[in-house]
Amino acid sequence: DQQVKQNSPSLSVQEGRISILNCDYTNSMFDYFLWYKKYPAEGPTFLISISSIKDKNEDGRFTVFLNKSAKHLSLHIVPSQPGDSAVYFCAASARSFGNEKLTFGTGTRLTIIP
Amino acid sequence: ETGVTQSPTHLIKTRGQQVTLRCSSQSGHNTVSWYQQALGQGPQFIFQYYREEENGRGNFPPRFSGLQFPNYSSELNVNALELDDSALYLCASSRRLGESYEQYFGPGTRLTVT
């Protein structure tokens, strides 16, 4: 049972344009969401997070939007740069219920075209 | 500030053998989580240790066991290795701090079981 889903295995975006990565979840107990970036032969690198009490969080070029009613979140990268090419994972946890484990999606490979 | 480190980087074992993987958490972090990432999948939660006690476990059999030491470093032990145990094993450390406690990952140990 895949509780966190990233339905787009890959995405290609022109340099300078906006990259939008999507993530859906099914578990209503999830209340904390994170995005990680992963390069080959490296561990995932934390990018940005959002608590369920918010619907938007911004950090530089990265913005995460959360739509609780739709159980959907998205990561916007503006403007996209070649160094953003990587696999992006969405992750969720149910912290309020004492559960700190992260449940990950299967990832989206983002390719920025120069 | 020293990041999360893991050893060894790569390991090849034979089915039925036992393996120990090691992780040093980021300075100031008191929680360590272990994840297994199979090819093409997102990381799967194995277990978490907080102040030397197991604090949650994923859907992995008892032959996966762990330890956390007083300096918050950690070990993952896998007994009776099976071919399906071949994966990237990731360690992540975190520190409970107010509303946020993002998990920071090490580079991983690539385990191959033949």
Side-chain angles (χ1 to χ4, degrees):
Chain A
D1 175 30
Q2 194 74 21
Q3 296 186 57
V4 177
K5 300 177 186 178
Q6 294 177 257
N7 292 318
S8 299
S10 63
L11 176 68
S12 294
V13 174
Q14 207 76 33
E15 181 180 357
R17 307 293 283 267
I18 183 171
S19 295
I20 300 176
L21 296 99
N22 294 303
C23 178
D24 297 294
Y25 62 96
T26 58
N27 189 338
S28 300
M29 288 172 34
F30 287 149
D31 58 3
Y32 196 71
F33 304 88
L34 308 90
W35 284 94
Y36 285 86
K37 176 170 77 172
K38 188 177 185 303
Y39 294 118
E42 293 184 13
T45 302
F46 169 73
L47 277 177
I48 191 168
S49 61
I50 188 167
S51 165
S52 60
I53 62 173
K54 299 180 180 178
D55 54 18
K56 177 182 174 181
N57 189 26
E58 225 172 320
D59 185 1
R61 297 187 298 116
F62 301 93
T63 303
V64 57
F65 295 92
L66 175 62
N67 183 334
K68 290 186 291 292
S69 60
K71 292 191 177 67
H72 177 84
L73 64 155
S74 60
L75 174 68
H76 293 209
I77 306 173
V78 181
S80 299
Q81 299 174 353
D84 296 331
S85 294
V87 177
Y88 288 77
F89 290 99
C90 167
S93 69
R95 289 191 313 161
S96 300
F97 299 90
N99 193 340
E100 297 181 15
K101 77 170 192 179
L102 294 179
T103 301
F104 283 84
T106 52
T108 296
R109 181 176 301 278
L110 175 65
T111 302
I112 305 302
I113 305 163
Chain B
E1 190 176 79
T2 308
V4 179
T5 60
Q6 292 185 244
S7 62
T9 307
H10 296 89
L11 202 52
I12 300 174
K13 288 286 190 178
T14 303
R15 190 170 46 183
Q17 285 187 315
Q18 178 265 342
V19 69
T20 297
L21 310 182
R22 295 180 174 83
C23 170
S24 291
S25 58
Q26 187 163 319
S27 175
H29 288 186
N30 55 17
T31 302
V32 173
S33 305
W34 285 92
Y35 293 82
Q36 179 196 66
Q37 186 178 15
L39 208 58
Q41 301 296 316
Q44 298 288 316
F45 177 76
I46 303 175
F47 43 56
Q48 182 180 82
Y49 280 83
Y50 172 61
R51 293 184 175 177
E52 303 178 59
E53 297 286 331
E54 189 177 288
N55 182 46
R57 188 179 182 91
N59 190 25
F60 281 81
R63 58 189 186 84
F64 285 78
S65 63
L67 280 174
Q68 187 181 30
F69 301 100
N71 65 355
Y72 303 127
S73 65
S74 177
E75 285 183 356
L76 164 64
N77 299 289
V78 187
N79 293 321
L81 283 166
E82 300 177 0
L83 296 179
D84 284 348
D85 295 334
S86 295
L88 180 68
Y89 288 85
L90 294 162
C91 166
S93 73
S94 57
R95 176 181 57 181
R96 296 179 181 180
L97 186 66
E99 279 294 307
S100 66
Y101 66 98
E102 291 77 25
Q103 295 186 17
Y104 293 87
F105 285 82
T109 294
R110 172 74 60 189
L111 173 65
T112 302
V113 182
T114 62

